[in-house]
Amino acid sequence: MNKEKGVLTVLSGFSGAGKGTIMKHLLLAHPDTYNLSISATTRYKREGEEDGREYFFKTRNEFDEMIAQGEFLEYATFNGNSYGTPKAYVEKLLNEGKDVILEIEVQGALQVKHLYPDCLLLFVTPPSAEALKERLVGRGTESEEVIAERLSISSRESSLMDKYDYLIINDDLDEAVEEVHELIQREHLRTAHRKNMISDIQTQLKQFSDI
Ligand code: 5GP
């Protein structure tokens, strides 16, 4: 039987909801199971980040050229910077039957759902708005102004939460990681991800159809 395509998962969530931490722990717990797509961005490189690890850092011209060449699966603007998912890498892995996770914001997530209706959309949130604010303040890395801006973006993003398939409430990190893992694994059982299996059984059963 031919290998089924991999499951494409899109993980979004408010800034400070802990989606990056969930991803890190998921990849540590299941290093051979999941592949995280690395996006291209025009934003500046933060301290500790490396080109090709967190992002492929691009100039505006390079990013626009990638758009013109049709290299993105989706792209969007967030807080004044452009972010895009390289198409070739994602499609190659999915065709090889590997599971791919995109950690992207809401506009891009909805573009992906449109292109891949069978993808799994997960939205990460803390248990309350107050908890979100506390986490952003607790990081101690952002000014009050930046925190206010992030919260205002979150408020706008929250209007699209109900477009997602599942909500991951990141209260207990280990539980949230396990939930993401289980949801992706369960996705493999859906008929949409068993097309080859279905067609094989149909072919095998044809021999009995004339009796
Ligand atoms: P940051 O600048 O904090 O790394 O990311 C800002 C936002 O952009 C986050 O919500 C992150 O998930 C999102 N993001 C990262 N890569 C992509 C991408 O390729 N496409 C889209 N649409 N959003 C992205």
Side-chain angles (χ1 to χ4, degrees), residues 124-139:
V124 182
T125 178
S128 68
E130 197 48 43
L132 182 64
K133 187 175 171 194
E134 274 169 24
R135 283 187 202 188
L136 287 171
V137 173
R139 274 181 183 178

Side-chain angles (χ1 to χ4, degrees), residues 2 17 38 60 63 69 84 91 95-96 106-107 125 133 136 163 183 196 203 205 211:
N2 289 329
I38 300 170
R60 164 61 48 203
F63 196 93
Q69 296 296 324
E91 288 188 340
N95 287 332
E96 288 171 1
V106 291
Q107 309 157 64
T125 178
K133 187 175 171 194
L136 287 171
K163 306 275 182 247
L183 286 169
N196 294 337
T203 308
L205 282 171
I211 299 171

Side-chain angles (χ1 to χ4, degrees), residues 91-171:
E91 288 188 340
K92 175 178 173 288
L93 288 176
L94 289 176
N95 287 332
E96 288 171 1
K98 297 185 176 145
D99 291 347
V100 181
I101 305 179
L102 313 180
E103 190 199 314
I104 65 177
E105 53 66 64
V106 291
Q107 309 157 64
L110 298 182
Q111 291 178 50
V112 175
K113 186 72 181 173
H114 188 68
L115 285 170
Y116 292 85
D118 295 332
C119 76
L120 175 66
L121 291 191
L122 307 179
F123 194 94
V124 182
T125 178
S128 68
E130 197 48 43
L132 182 64
K133 187 175 171 194
E134 274 169 24
R135 283 187 202 188
L136 287 171
V137 173
R139 274 181 183 178
T141 49
E142 265 97 31
S143 65
E144 245 174 65
E145 197 188 344
V146 170
I147 292 174
E149 195 172 75
R150 298 259 157 115
L151 288 170
S152 137
I153 294 174
S154 299
S155 168
R156 264 176 276 140
E157 286 180 330
S158 69
S159 68
L160 295 171
M161 284 166 85
D162 62 355
K163 306 275 182 247
Y164 282 71
D165 296 313
Y166 295 94
L167 205 57
I168 306 293
I169 298 174
N170 186 14
D171 199 5

